[in-house]
Amino acid sequence: MRTFNIVLLSIWVGVIIFASHTIGQQAYDWLPIAAAAEAEPVGHLFSFLVTLGTIVFLGVMGVLVYSVLFYRARDTSDAPAIRGNLKLEITWTVIPILLVTWIAIYSYNIYQRMNTLGALPLAHLHFVEAPAYAEVGNNNMQRAEQIEVIAKQWSWSFHYPSRNITSTELHLPVNQPVRLMLQSEDVVHGFYVPNFRIKQDIIPNQTIEFKFTPSRIGQYQLHDSQFSGTYFALMEASVYVDAPERYSQWLAETATRPPVPAANPAKSEHIQPPAMPLRSNWHTVPPAQPPLINK
Amino acid sequence: MTNISVESTDDPPKLNPMSWKRYFSFSTDHKVIGVQYLVTAFLFFLIGGLFAMIVRAELLTPQLDVVDRSLYNGLFTMHGTVMIFLWIFPANVGLANYLVPLMIGARETAFPVLNAIAFWLIPVIGVLLLFSFFLPSGTAQAGWWSYPPVSIQNPSGHMINGEFIWLLAITISGISSIMGAVNLVTTIFQMRAPGMSFFRMPVYVWTTLSAQLLQLFCLPALTGAAVMLLFDLTFGTDFFSPFKQGDPVIYQHLFWFYSHPAVYVMALPAFGVFSEVIPAFARKPLFGYKTVAVSSLLIAGISMLVWVHHMFASATPNWMRVLFMVTSMLVSVPTGIKVFAWTATVWRGKLHFQTPMLFALGGVAMFLFAGITGVMLASLPFDIHVNNTYFVVGHFHYVVFNTVTMAIYAGIYYWFPKITGRMYSEGWGKLHFWLTFIGANLNFFPMHPIGLQGMVRRISSYDPQYTGWNVVASLGAFLLGMSTLPFIANVVSSWLRGRKASNNPWNATGLEWTTTSPPAIENFEEIPTVTSEPYGYGESHRLAVDPLSHLS
Amino acid sequence: MESPTRSGSMLKRDNLTFGFPVFLLSESIIFVSFFATYALLRWKNSNWFPAGVSGLDIHGAAISTLILVCSSIVIYFAERSLDRHKLVRFRRLWLLTAALGVIFLIRQAIEWHNMPFGLDAGLAGATFYLLTGFHGLHIFTGVVLLLYMYFRSLTPGNYNLGHRGVSSVSLFWHFVDVIWIVLFVLLYVW
Ligand code: HEM
Ligand SMILES: [Cu+2]
């Protein structure tokens, strides 16, 4: 009987591990397609988290469901008065400590590899200087394309100082590190491209340096990730990761165009509010002047 | 030690002490106050739920087509505020008010008048917040975090605006919570019956103590932040204005220094309810009682040191990000201890599946899920992807709804016979459970995949790629709305006409079951003397065994 | 001995001895949040004061500090007199404490009146008025409580059951005193 139980238990553990592994592999597909070098390790981390999480979930749920199915009361008598088991309690304290330590170390390693620099500017506040670790691709630094990202209610604009052009589209060269100088002119915004799997809040009146490497050609969406007021949902922009030649071509073409005020969905909606069944007519902050862009 | 007869209170009671009218009076009886809290909180739960329903109706389709954007922002702000400050907090405090004195063998709480004032502030807050819908500026619209500078933009230019009212309400709520906390903590320390040592207190008392200690030592930070924000908004100071000398990130720190612990203020009492209900319906002592009890304090302690995990993507230096990732990971350890203990309690028990047990087991299962996504969120690089997306919204709704609200329901059903002296209807209760359980999962599970896909929270219109899951979530929300109907019907009709309940219908341990249902004005004829640990199921020296049990 | 009753007036006072310090600890966190904000902001901004102002009136504040510290000593002796059942002496010292509190408030009012900048003059103004104002509110509350306790002391037999109310007010007074010392160091000395 005892060996039978052990065999059953092993099979169950095997099933859990297999299922967790499978689901963990599946998890890659739950994230948007990776389009930056920094996104790759996040996928691995997520898969790892899902695998571990599924093991814990299925393990505990297994016990719960088993109990629900097989320990139904047949009368109103009490069950055996088992008050605890020190060894068991120590086990389920120590194992989680080990697990979360493992997760923390793994996460830390990945964070180090990403090194998006986002947190640096707090040095303004004289906080302890941040990253003590070696910067990946330090030698690439010179080549890093530098772009100013200006967020305001409710528009994004991107200024390329090297060519002195401004656009409401963010064009990035593929496989080249880029350095974004994130700035906000009014409230806190957030820079978030799901396909890059990174984000950074933009604190007004600070320039936050944000570095990553786009790795997949295509068109993606930039969202404001920090609630910024009435037209928050409209604060989006297209991000193009281009092949190097296309990128230079775009820069060159755009530079020839004269600056004009950009179209702005928030502004149009503010001027002409759509009719809604439930209207509040509450005061709202008017959208800031749309940026002047080369178009 | 025997009880000494109680002097009659100073002024003779004007109305029959057991009349229903007492629930509408400024009563200082903790049981009346407890019921007042619960009923008031539930009314606000319905209002907050209505807001959520409109929000979900808007999110049925990608475009904006139900409310305008300001109203949308006002609705989700009010939804969060009402649910936290007018539903979960007061419901938990109400349950604690009712139960703690009974559980520790006291006749009343330490500061009855203070306690009553704390309660009566709750409707004041509610009225203030609801009133702000009628201001020309509208309600506050900056989310329940109310981050500056967006929260203090004040486009109406009026001094009395939605944000002003919101800050006022939060400050009053803080005062009420502190009063309630001083009362409960003092009661637990000072008024335990003879023999009721700390390690004989039910876990519910431990969790209430831990939660209220968190209120005492963290909440004032939010009050301080609210006062400064109010100054910025109204008197033109610039504590948090980035373009002057101020710094909005300091507000974020103060806010989360309280508001992370606040999530445990909500969750700990739920853990307490699970720890009472599960042993009673598994007919087994709570497994590892002492570690479960102590882990409550550990959770409270660690949760004061994790707040920056809400600011991983803010202007937070790297050392701080990494440090707070580690502390956040650690908080899952004492939390895990509790989950494992409940699981071990049902293992080899003799399970009964009355409504309270269904809600408790459902709550534990979903908390397991929420805890796992919590640890994922604590993982810094992953959080940077999902921060401020629906993944976070999914995570915390699995806690605040699928765990805490389920636990409050479990508690209400479990102690309903004690509170009202009548049994509720089991059939309606089970229907309520299944509607809630299914609705909650339909509503909140889809938030995880769309969050992973990058759908940002707080947006009033969204990219069509997210439509499918949003429709499921909205349908779940409407189901959840419906699920309150059988509950209301059940509670109202049972309270009026339910079968009479015996003193201990669940054949449970715990002092509250040794007195009458409902308990008399001063709870106990004679103050009991406690001689053993709680949860003596299956042991011979059980307190109070009732032959008329409703277990079956 | 177990406390004689589990309800009734006797016990409520016991609870006050426990509950009031708990409340004060909680209250102190508001001050901590103000102090922390102040410290971070001040550390961050090198140009703290508005143009033309070089600092606060540290001498005046030092005198106020002295007054408050004295009042703490006085209230200590007042309480001790009550312990020794010297009721008249208690009342005198008690009133002296209140008087010192009032003097402090008046000095505070004068300082506010003569201040070269207002609440809206940058962070120096905002933090100054917020901190001293919030603290002043506590002193004011303290004075009111002191006077209330004074009038209660006129009731014959008021202290037959002990004087936990008096002890709590005295504790409160020490509390606002300590807060002031921190405030003095942060706001004036820094
Ligand atoms: C296992 C332990 C837990 C861990 C490690 C954890 C971790 C986290 C993290 C890191 C976040 C921030 C995510 C972000 O904004 O990017 C978060 C959000 C949240 N958690 Fe948990 N959590 C845990 C359990 C709980 C519990 C027990 C509650 C109780 C109610 C809770 C309620 C919340 C709430 C309300 C939020 C979001 C608040 C908001 O953004 O509006 N969590 N959690
Ligand atoms: Cu948190």
Side-chain angles (χ1 to χ4, degrees):
Chain A
M1 194 60 203
R2 202 185 155 80
T3 38
F4 179 69
N5 279 347
I6 291 179
V7 170
L8 263 189
L9 193 69
S10 328
I11 293 180
W12 173 232
V13 171
V15 168
I16 290 187
I17 292 182
F18 176 74
S20 308
H21 178 76
T22 316
I23 295 179
Q25 288 308 309
Q26 215 65 47
Y28 284 100
D29 300 337
W30 304 344
L31 296 173
I33 292 168
E38 286 70 16
E40 222 66 68
V42 177
H44 298 313
L45 175 64
F46 180 57
S47 163
F48 165 79
L49 291 170
V50 169
T51 310
L52 275 189
T54 315
I55 291 179
V56 175
F57 186 76
L58 291 182
V60 178
M61 277 308 275
V63 179
L64 279 176
V65 170
Y66 183 91
S67 308
V68 167
L69 293 179
F70 298 109
Y71 295 131
R72 292 172 169 265
R74 294 202 189 80
D75 51 36
T76 57
S77 65
D78 285 354
I82 309 166
R83 278 200 169 272
N85 177 331
L86 193 63
K87 273 194 206 140
L88 197 57
E89 287 164 49
I90 292 178
T91 313
W92 70 42
T93 311
V94 173
I95 290 184
I97 292 182
L98 296 178
L99 275 185
V100 296
T101 311
W102 185 19
I103 298 176
I105 292 175
Y106 189 55
S107 307
Y108 176 74
N109 282 335
I110 289 205
Y111 185 60
Q112 208 173 341
R113 264 169 53 201
M114 292 167 60
N115 186 28
T116 51
L117 288 187
L120 263 179
L122 263 203
H124 292 183
L125 300 187
H126 317 291
F127 274 114
V128 180
E129 183 49 23
Y133 20 88
E135 294 196 353
V136 184
N138 221 348
N139 42 355
N140 284 340
M141 280 316 205
Q142 278 69 31
R143 291 207 291 117
E145 186 72 26
Q146 188 162 316
I147 304 165
E148 286 166 15
V149 177
I150 296 125
K152 57 182 172 182
Q153 284 173 321
W154 288 268
S155 69
W156 294 101
S157 55
F158 311 97
H159 182 69
Y160 293 73
S162 55
R163 297 294 195 103
N164 194 24
I165 56 178
T166 305
S167 169
T168 46
E169 291 171 355
L170 178 59
H171 283 253
L172 301 170
V174 71
N175 291 332
Q176 252 186 65
V178 288
R179 246 165 205 277
L180 303 186
M181 313 303 273
L182 307 177
Q183 294 156 13
S184 162
E185 296 190 350
D186 35 48
V187 300
V188 182
H189 296 276
F191 180 95
Y192 177 41
V193 180
N195 294 84
F196 298 164
R197 299 177 190 165
I198 45 178
K199 83 164 58 67
Q200 173 61 49
D201 284 5
I202 311 175
I203 311 295
N205 208 19
Q206 278 186 32
T207 301
I208 295 184
E209 217 173 327
F210 196 52
K211 196 196 79 183
F212 57 90
T213 311
S215 63
R216 183 175 176 278
I217 293 177
Q219 185 196 341
Y220 309 100
Q221 197 74 353
L222 163 66
H223 299 273
D224 186 1
S225 58
Q226 188 63 274
F227 181 71
S228 58
T230 312
Y231 300 102
F232 172 57
L234 296 179
M235 193 158 156
E236 297 189 318
S238 296
V239 180
Y240 297 86
V241 177
D242 295 335
E245 318 77 60
R246 266 219 66 148
Y247 177 68
S248 331
Q249 194 189 341
W250 178 80
L251 281 179
E253 265 175 30
T254 311
T256 61
R257 302 199 187 119
V260 291
N264 184 272
K267 185 133 196 173
S268 346
E269 203 179 297
H270 186 70
I271 295 170
Q272 187 123 138
M276 287 295 144
L278 283 173
R279 267 237 303 284
S280 67
N281 296 319
W282 291 341
H283 298 272
T284 159
V285 176
Q289 211 52 45
L292 282 184
I293 58 165
N294 304 78
K295 193 173 179 187
Chain B
M1 172 79 202
T2 51
N3 74 311
I4 288 184
S5 68
V6 186
E7 312 119 80
S8 60
T9 40
D10 315 289
D11 42 358
K14 283 172 226 87
L15 37 92
N16 170 9
M18 294 309 267
S19 142
W20 58 269
K21 285 185 191 139
R22 69 188 189 280
Y23 292 118
F24 295 89
S25 69
F26 186 85
S27 169
T28 52
D29 179 346
H30 72 92
K31 299 185 290 301
V32 176
I33 296 179
V35 173
Q36 287 174 326
Y37 262 117
L38 281 167
V39 173
T40 315
F42 188 75
L43 292 178
F44 285 118
F45 177 55
L46 294 180
I47 296 176
L50 185 73
F51 297 163
M53 231 51 74
I54 306 175
V55 166
R56 283 305 336 169
E58 177 57 69
L59 294 177
L60 259 176
T61 59
Q63 334 65 344
L64 189 74
D65 42 23
V66 178
V67 293
D68 65 29
R69 296 200 193 268
S70 309
L71 186 53
Y72 183 88
N73 297 342
L75 283 170
F76 76 68
T77 302
M78 286 298 127
H79 163 71
T81 309
V82 166
M83 288 304 194
I84 293 167
F85 295 99
L86 293 169
W87 159 238
I88 297 191
F89 279 2
N92 275 336
V93 172
L95 215 49
N97 255 299
Y98 199 97
L99 294 173
V100 164
L102 288 167
M103 285 181 162
I104 62 173
R107 291 194 188 280
E108 57 178 1
T109 57
F111 303 107
V113 177
L114 193 72
N115 199 21
I117 299 174
F119 163 71
W120 283 102
L121 290 176
I122 299 291
V124 174
I125 303 161
V127 169
L128 274 176
L129 287 176
L130 294 182
F131 152 80
S132 68
F133 272 96
F134 302 103
L135 292 172
S137 69
T139 62
Q141 291 160 47
W144 82 281
W145 310 348
S146 204
Y147 275 9
V150 77
S151 58
I152 52 175
Q153 281 190 313
N154 191 11
S156 74
H158 301 170
M159 197 184 115
I160 308 288
N161 54 59
E163 183 66 25
F164 177 84
I165 300 289
W166 188 88
L167 288 168
L168 204 65
I170 291 306
T171 309
I172 300 175
S173 161
I175 294 170
S176 160
S177 294
I178 294 296
M179 289 171 140
V182 169
N183 180 44
L184 280 169
V185 168
T186 310
T187 306
I188 294 171
F189 270 95
Q190 298 283 90
M191 307 195 46
R192 283 166 287 130
M196 180 61 85
S197 58
F198 278 104
F199 280 115
R200 286 182 187 162
M201 295 193 313
V203 167
Y204 184 77
V205 181
W206 275 92
T207 54
T208 299
L209 177 63
S210 314
Q212 297 301 320
L213 285 173
L214 281 179
Q215 290 286 55
L216 285 173
F217 297 114
C218 299
L219 196 155
L222 177 68
T223 310
V227 169
M228 286 185 276
L229 198 61
L230 191 78
F231 270 57
D232 277 5
L233 175 72
T234 311
F235 306 122
T237 56
D238 34 55
F239 291 105
F240 305 129
S241 26
F243 295 102
K244 311 275 180 52
Q245 300 163 292
D247 185 352
V249 179
I250 294 180
Y251 174 88
Q252 300 181 2
H253 280 287
L254 291 175
F255 180 82
W256 287 115
F257 178 76
Y258 170 61
S259 294
H260 175 80
V263 308
Y264 278 99
V265 175
M266 301 187 246
L268 279 164
F271 301 163
V273 171
F274 294 154
S275 307
E276 301 305 311
V277 171
I278 290 174
F281 291 92
R283 313 311 299 159
K284 246 181 99 208
L286 181 66
F287 195 93
Y289 159 67
K290 279 190 185 156
T291 42
V292 176
V294 171
S295 69
S296 315
L297 283 179
L298 279 179
I299 289 177
I302 301 176
S303 78
M304 291 174 72
L305 304 170
V306 304
W307 76 90
V308 176
H309 66 216
H310 296 271
M311 301 167 58
F312 278 158
S314 183
T316 309
N318 280 323
W319 65 268
M320 209 189 253
R321 292 179 172 187
V322 172
L323 180 69
F324 280 85
M325 162 166 81
V326 174
T327 55
S328 306
M329 292 278 169
L330 286 180
V331 80
S332 64
V333 173
T335 315
I337 290 178
K338 286 191 149 70
V339 176
F340 298 136
W342 299 322
T343 312
T345 306
V346 291
W347 182 252
R348 300 183 51 203
K350 293 190 173 175
L351 307 190
H352 299 262
F353 293 102
Q354 272 81 4
T355 312
M357 183 61 157
L358 291 179
F359 273 103
L361 286 180
V364 169
M366 292 193 283
F367 180 62
L368 180 63
F369 188 79
I372 290 168
T373 54
V375 174
M376 293 181 169
L377 288 172
S379 165
L380 170 55
F382 174 65
D383 182 72
I384 287 182
H385 173 55
V386 290
N387 166 269
N388 271 337
T389 68
Y390 265 90
F391 190 87
V392 176
V393 183
H395 158 70
F396 74 73
H397 278 93
Y398 261 74
V399 205
V400 291
F401 194 100
N402 301 15
T403 307
V404 181
T405 302
M406 297 283 271
I408 295 173
Y409 278 140
I412 291 176
Y413 282 110
Y414 181 59
W415 284 289
F416 188 84
K418 182 54 62 185
I419 296 174
T420 63
R422 292 179 185 271
M423 295 307 295
Y424 63 86
S425 142
E426 204 49 71
W428 285 99
K430 289 195 168 125
L431 174 68
H432 176 214
F433 168 74
W434 285 110
L435 289 181
T436 313
F437 187 79
I438 296 169
N441 282 294
L442 280 182
N443 191 349
F444 303 122
F445 181 80
M447 296 182 174
H448 296 86
I450 51 178
L452 289 171
Q453 282 293 318
M455 179 167 162
V456 173
R457 69 194 280 195
R458 294 177 172 154
I459 50 179
S460 40
S461 53
Y462 56 86
D463 193 295
Q465 72 176 93
Y466 306 120
T467 314
W469 282 117
N470 269 305
V471 172
V472 179
S474 291
L475 295 181
F478 303 142
L479 188 61
L480 273 188
M482 305 291 291
S483 77
T484 53
L485 298 179
F487 174 72
I488 297 170
N490 194 354
V491 165
V492 172
S493 69
S494 305
W495 202 334
L496 296 175
R497 279 197 294 278
R499 265 179 308 155
K500 287 258 183 278
S502 64
N503 290 350
N504 188 1
W506 310 125
N507 218 335
T509 65
L511 292 182
E512 76 269 30
W513 302 108
T514 63
T515 182
T516 51
S517 296
I521 294 286
E522 297 247 336
N523 297 348
F524 300 98
E525 291 259 302
E526 198 166 315
I527 292 291
T529 302
V530 182
T531 53
S532 61
E533 274 193 13
Y535 313 110
Y537 297 99
E539 289 168 0
S540 47
H541 52 271
R542 291 270 309 274
L543 284 165
V545 177
D546 194 319
L548 298 171
S549 130
H550 281 262
L551 293 172
S552 56
Chain C
M1 196 199 88
E2 293 278 346
S3 56
T5 65
R6 293 257 138 218
S7 80
S9 53
M10 184 67 194
L11 199 93
K12 274 175 205 154
R13 297 196 179 192
D14 253 334
N15 289 341
L16 193 63
T17 319
F18 181 89
F20 195 67
V22 169
F23 167 73
L24 286 186
L25 280 175
S26 176
E27 181 81 355
S28 67
I29 306 291
I30 297 197
F31 281 105
V32 171
S33 74
F34 287 159
F35 287 150
T37 308
Y38 166 81
L40 282 170
L41 289 173
R42 176 121 201 213
W43 178 31
K44 213 185 100 171
N45 287 289
S46 36
N47 292 333
W48 184 250
F49 291 105
V53 182
S54 57
L56 300 174
D57 173 17
I58 185 166
H59 296 292
I63 295 171
S64 289
T65 310
L66 205 64
I67 292 175
L68 270 196
V69 171
C70 286
S71 75
S72 253
I73 297 171
V74 173
I75 202 171
Y76 168 75
F77 282 106
E79 216 189 324
R80 220 171 65 161
S81 318
L82 193 58
D83 286 339
R84 296 178 182 172
H85 305 290
K86 294 183 185 149
L87 199 54
V88 176
R89 195 177 141 85
F90 159 72
R91 286 195 195 118
R92 283 193 191 138
L93 291 174
W94 195 254
L95 274 187
L96 180 58
T97 314
L100 289 171
V102 172
I103 294 176
F104 176 89
L105 280 177
I106 294 174
R107 293 179 50 82
Q108 188 82 58
I110 294 174
E111 189 185 6
W112 275 34
H113 188 73
N114 295 337
M115 212 58 193
F117 51 80
L119 180 67
D120 50 2
L123 286 176
T127 52
F128 173 80
Y129 287 102
L130 179 75
L131 285 172
T132 57
F134 194 60
H135 177 265
L137 216 59
H138 281 75
I139 293 279
F140 179 77
T141 313
V143 170
V144 171
L145 287 174
L146 282 166
L147 293 179
Y148 174 65
M149 284 297 153
Y150 170 77
F151 287 113
R152 291 253 314 237
S153 81
L154 300 177
T155 318
N158 188 44
Y159 297 120
N160 290 351
L161 283 172
H163 53 263
R164 294 185 176 82
V166 167
S167 309
S168 295
V169 173
S170 156
L171 184 69
F172 182 72
W173 197 257
H174 293 309
F175 168 75
V176 286
D177 192 11
V178 171
I179 296 282
W180 174 261
I181 291 170
V182 179
L183 193 158
F184 173 67
V185 172
L186 281 179
L187 215 59
Y188 291 86
V189 179
W190 184 347

